[in-house]
Amino acid sequence: MKKLIGILFLLTSLSAFSQQKESPLIQFTGVVYNADSTNIIVPYVSVTNKSNHNSLVITNYKGYFSFVVHEQDSLQFTAIGYAPVTVVIPSNLKNRSFTTQVLIKPQITNLPMVRVFPWATTDEFRKDFVNAKIADDDLEIARKNISRTSIVALTNSLPRDGQEIQSANAQSMHQDIVNQHSRTNPLLNPLAWGSLIKSITDGDGK
């Protein structure tokens, strides 16, 4: 009985193998396009033959492909950012070739949110939290900006504007006008002449 079952299993396997072997070969050719716009090609799409040991073919940069398959083979087209599409090769083709346009639809995949923390342990987080320096609020920032130290530093570093330069020039001209009356001409000073004559008489070369 066991021998009979084994023989039947062997015959069934040989029959299935012969049927698969006798399946006609088809030249499968086409171009992969974006389903939302046929003017946009999709390059480098993976084509997996699910009926032939998951053999893999990659389309070129123009989305073009051409390779040999069997009738009734199931081919899956996959690409990153697109939903997979399955194409079944029809049977009883006269020209032993099958040409088609494969349309794959864009697919958005929402990944779960991931939060990255800079602390490896809770002890590190606790230490940083205790030693953290709280940023100044708007009131404290304004108080620092109008402090005496900040104003002095700004006075020493900032250049004068037009109004300050005009005021300084006007003050300088005013000082010149006020002080010009107090200046004396040494040629009109008798004491200066006496000192000059005495220096000449004494033989002072200076």
Side-chain angles (χ1 to χ4, degrees):
M1 186 65 180
K2 291 183 179 180
K3 292 182 179 181
L4 181 60
I5 295 175
I7 293 172
L8 291 175
F9 179 76
L10 181 60
L11 292 175
T12 304
S13 301
L14 291 175
S15 177
F17 179 76
S18 61
Q19 289 179 0
Q20 182 179 3
K21 187 176 181 180
E22 293 174 357
S23 181
L25 295 176
I26 303 297
Q27 185 68 32
F28 183 37
T29 306
V31 180
V32 182
Y33 289 94
N34 189 323
D36 293 342
S37 177
T38 56
N39 295 326
I40 301 176
I41 62 173
V42 182
Y44 306 115
V45 178
S46 300
V47 185
T48 305
N49 193 337
K50 296 294 185 179
S51 303
N52 187 18
H53 307 291
N54 290 329
S55 59
L56 182 65
V57 176
I58 306 296
T59 64
N60 65 3
Y61 69 99
K62 292 185 177 181
Y64 174 81
F65 62 89
S66 182
F67 54 93
V68 177
V69 295
H70 294 89
E71 290 184 352
Q72 299 297 319
D73 280 356
S74 295
L75 302 160
Q76 188 179 54
F77 292 77
T78 56
I80 298 176
Y82 292 88
V85 173
T86 301
V87 176
V88 178
I89 305 300
S91 58
N92 300 325
L93 295 173
K94 295 180 180 180
N95 298 328
R96 298 303 178 190
S97 63
F98 179 60
T99 303
T100 185
Q101 291 182 353
V102 181
L103 304 179
I104 57 177
K105 189 174 183 62
Q107 185 180 44
I108 299 175
T109 303
N110 294 322
L111 299 178
M113 182 177 63
V114 177
R115 293 183 178 180
V116 180
F117 296 97
W119 305 283
T121 62
T122 55
D123 293 336
E124 292 182 3
F125 169 74
R126 188 180 297 107
K127 181 180 178 180
D128 290 345
F129 181 79
V130 172
N131 298 327
K133 295 182 179 180
I134 302 175
D136 297 335
D137 57 5
D138 294 340
L139 181 61
E140 184 64 23
I141 293 173
R143 185 180 293 110
K144 289 182 178 179
N145 289 338
I146 62 175
S147 65
R148 181 177 180 82
T149 304
S150 299
I151 293 175
V152 171
L154 292 175
T155 303
N156 295 331
S157 60
L158 291 177
R160 293 181 178 181
D161 58 9
Q163 184 176 1
E164 290 177 340
I165 294 174
Q166 183 178 6
S167 176
N169 290 335
Q171 185 176 1
S172 178
M173 293 174 63
H174 175 72
Q175 293 294 336
D176 291 340
I177 293 173
V178 171
N179 295 329
Q180 68 180 356
H181 299 289
S182 61
R183 298 173 183 172
T184 59
N185 191 346
L187 297 176
L188 302 178
N189 187 356
L191 297 177
W193 277 104
S195 178
L196 176 62
I197 295 172
K198 185 175 182 303
S199 297
I200 294 173
T201 304
D202 295 339
D204 189 359
K206 295 181 181 180

